[in-house]
């Protein structure tokens, strides 16, 4: 792509040799994504003339009513920009193509869901949860077969935390495992996307972790030093992660409180697909659960709330689920919740990175 073309001029001037380095390409991808997303989102918000806007559900605190009418589905801007940036600044190796496909397909699912909800006059609607889950699991199964093609027998291994050269052989359950990772991560990001800037900031940190891990695994010396699998083409995934991070940071410019635009299911489903595909393609599915600790807690809060409500016939553990709404009901200001969840996400991500050295 563009980086390869520019690198071919290294014989004319040594400066073009910079385009041969993944670190330089990742930095360019980040800057490109941030700049283009910032420009296009500004135009998108200013020229938003459609009747499709955010509809606020009755299931959230009453303070959210004022957000109704805010432009939604901002993911249709920052996701394509991240994909274009990736293709411009790295080689289209199979691992990168698979990550892009997973992200794009989940984004399309989210966009269809957004349209289904926004077209209705009431505040219900959207794709039925059962159908959505079947689609997510189906994509996960297809993705697992693609990963099997890339890794061969190594696909059945997932690296465990803390222990040197310790891998868990999942065997035939690998296909179900990957499907659950894809579906679970997508729904986790979707559940977290409930406050201005919350999901945007929370996702950036595990995305950075997986991007760094991808770079390490693509470098033979670093991979051996930190006792992780050496995956020759994994380094190119760091450009993909960097592109997404740049787009997300620009989106956060407009999505911070008070939000001028929401990502919608278009963005949240795509981001879940991106995180999950990065974890699977770097064989760090367990590490994702640590780096994405906030996403895990948000999902668990919903699962526990539903289970406890059914078992006790009406009693609740939290005042409202997901977890961020519980803190809203306790009287915490939205900004305080968002920043504290960002801090928690950063801490979880640091812990995830520490495990690499502990090995």
């Amino acid at each position: 792509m563009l980086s390869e073309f520019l690198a071919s001029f290294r014989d004319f001037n040594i400066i073009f040799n910079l385009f041969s380095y993944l670190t330089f390409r990742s930095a360019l991808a980040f800057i490109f994504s941030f700049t283009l997303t910032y420009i296009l989102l500004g135009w998108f918000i200013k020229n938003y003339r459609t009747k499709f806007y955010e509809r606020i559900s009755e299931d959230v605190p009453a303070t959210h009513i004022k957000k109704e009418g805010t432009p939604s589905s901002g993911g249709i801007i920052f996701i394509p920009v991240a994909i274009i940036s990736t293709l411009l600044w790295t080689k289209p190796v199979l691992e990168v193509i698979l990550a892009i496909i997973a992200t794009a397909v989940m984004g399309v699912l989210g966009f269809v869901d957004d349209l289904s909800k926004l077209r209705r006059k009431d505040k219900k609607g959207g794709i039925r949860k059962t159908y959505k889950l079947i689609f997510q699991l189906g994509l996960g199964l297809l993705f697992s077969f693609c990963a099997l093609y890339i890794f061969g027998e190594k696909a059945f291994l997932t690296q465990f935390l803390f222990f040197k050269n310790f891998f868990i052989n999942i065997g035939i359950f690998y296909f179900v495992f990957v499907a659950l990772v894809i579906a679970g991560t997508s729904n986790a990001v979707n559940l977290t996307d409930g406050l201005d800037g919350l999901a945007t900031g929370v996702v950036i940190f595990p995305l950075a972790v997986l991007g760094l891990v991808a770079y390490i695994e693509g470098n033979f010396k670093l991979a051996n030093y930190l006792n992780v699998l050496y995956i020759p083409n994994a380094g190119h995934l760091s450009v993909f992660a960097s592109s997404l991070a740049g787009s997300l940071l620009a989106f956060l410019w407009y999505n911070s409180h008070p939000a001028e635009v929401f990502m919608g299911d278009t963005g949240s489903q795509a981001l879940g697909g991106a995180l999950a595909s990065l974890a699977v393609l770097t064989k760090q599915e367990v590490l994702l659960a640590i780096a994405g600790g906030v996403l895990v807690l948000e999902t668990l809060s919903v699962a526990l709330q539903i289970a406890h409500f059914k078992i006790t016939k009406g009693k609740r553990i939290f005042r409202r689920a997901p977890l961020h709404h519980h803190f809203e009901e306790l009287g915490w200001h939205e900004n305080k919740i968002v920043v504290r969840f960002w801090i928690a996400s950063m801490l979880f991500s640091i812990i995830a990175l520490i495990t690499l050295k502990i090995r």
Side-chain angles (χ1 to χ4, degrees):
M1 306 307 282
L2 180 60
S3 57
E4 295 297 310
F5 173 74
L6 292 172
S8 67
F9 289 96
R10 64 173 67 90
D11 292 335
F12 295 96
N13 194 307
I14 191 63
I15 196 171
F16 288 103
N17 196 46
L18 286 170
F19 296 97
S20 302
Y21 295 96
L22 281 173
T23 48
F24 188 70
R25 294 182 184 186
S26 296
L28 287 176
F30 181 92
I31 295 170
F32 180 89
S33 290
F34 178 90
T35 304
L36 189 56
T37 300
Y38 176 82
I39 294 170
L40 292 179
L41 266 177
W43 176 87
F44 177 78
I45 295 167
K46 185 178 180 180
N47 296 278
Y48 200 81
R49 296 289 184 270
T50 176
K51 63 182 179 180
F52 301 139
Y53 54 83
E54 187 70 13
R55 306 298 303 276
I56 303 301
S57 169
E58 293 91 346
D59 298 329
V60 300
T63 54
H64 287 234
I65 298 300
K66 60 185 178 182
K67 300 181 181 184
E68 187 156 318
T70 303
S72 188
S73 298
I76 63 174
I77 300 294
F78 70 80
I79 293 299
V81 168
I83 291 173
I84 291 169
S85 180
T86 301
L87 292 174
L88 280 175
W89 299 111
T90 195
K91 292 180 181 179
V93 296
L94 183 56
E95 288 83 349
V96 170
I97 296 301
L98 281 178
I100 287 175
I101 290 174
T103 303
V105 170
M106 291 304 299
V108 170
L109 172 66
F111 182 66
V112 172
D113 197 29
D114 281 339
L115 286 181
S116 179
K117 287 184 289 189
L118 299 175
R119 280 175 173 163
R120 291 177 63 102
K121 293 182 179 180
D122 56 44
K123 297 175 183 178
K124 300 296 182 181
I127 302 173
R128 290 183 62 178
K129 293 180 180 179
T130 304
Y131 297 155
K132 190 187 298 185
L133 182 60
I134 291 173
F135 184 92
Q136 292 166 338
L137 291 172
L139 175 64
L141 283 174
L142 287 174
F143 197 87
S144 67
F145 282 104
C146 293
L148 180 62
Y149 174 79
I150 293 173
F151 295 111
E153 293 183 359
K154 287 184 178 179
F156 300 115
L157 304 176
T158 186
Q159 188 151 12
F160 198 65
L161 302 175
F162 307 116
F163 298 101
K164 181 178 179 180
N165 297 321
F166 185 78
F167 297 87
I168 301 173
N169 193 326
I170 304 174
I172 196 66
F173 294 105
Y174 172 75
F175 304 104
V176 176
F177 177 65
V178 171
L180 291 174
V181 170
I182 297 284
T185 308
S186 298
N187 288 316
V189 177
N190 185 247
L191 288 172
T192 306
D193 184 32
L195 299 177
D196 296 353
L198 179 58
T200 311
V202 164
V203 166
I204 285 176
F205 295 105
L207 190 61
V209 169
L210 290 173
L212 179 59
V213 170
Y215 176 77
I216 291 170
E217 291 184 342
N219 185 294
F220 183 77
K221 291 183 179 179
L222 288 176
N224 284 338
Y225 175 68
L226 291 173
N227 293 297
V228 294
L229 281 175
Y230 168 61
I231 305 172
N233 288 326
H236 296 285
L237 290 170
S238 63
V239 179
F240 172 67
S242 185
S243 296
L244 271 174
S247 288
L248 276 178
L249 198 62
F251 178 74
L252 186 59
W253 184 278
Y254 299 104
N255 186 233
S256 58
H257 184 76
E260 300 172 64
V261 62
F262 298 128
M263 69 171 66
D265 281 13
T266 308
S268 61
Q269 292 288 337
L271 288 175
L275 281 175
S277 60
L278 279 169
V280 172
L281 292 170
T282 57
K283 306 304 300 169
Q284 296 293 343
E285 299 91 348
V286 179
L287 193 72
L288 173 60
I290 303 300
V294 171
L295 302 176
V296 173
L297 291 176
E298 290 273 57
T299 306
L300 283 176
S301 70
V302 174
L304 290 172
Q305 183 88 320
I306 294 173
H308 190 266
F309 187 86
K310 290 182 177 179
I311 292 172
T312 60
K313 298 181 180 180
K315 293 183 179 180
R316 303 172 186 269
I317 299 175
F318 306 102
R319 293 193 178 186
R320 195 183 293 268
L323 191 58
H324 56 265
H325 288 324
H326 170 74
F327 290 111
E328 276 192 289
E329 296 289 357
L330 290 178
W332 290 23
H333 190 276
E334 182 171 346
N335 280 345
K336 188 177 288 290
I337 298 169
V338 170
V339 173
R340 286 180 174 176
F341 274 50
W342 288 354
I343 293 171
S345 182
M346 179 181 66
L347 292 174
F348 277 120
S349 295
I350 291 172
I351 291 170
L353 287 176
I354 290 172
T355 66
L356 294 177
K357 185 60 180 175
I358 292 176
R359 293 173 187 174

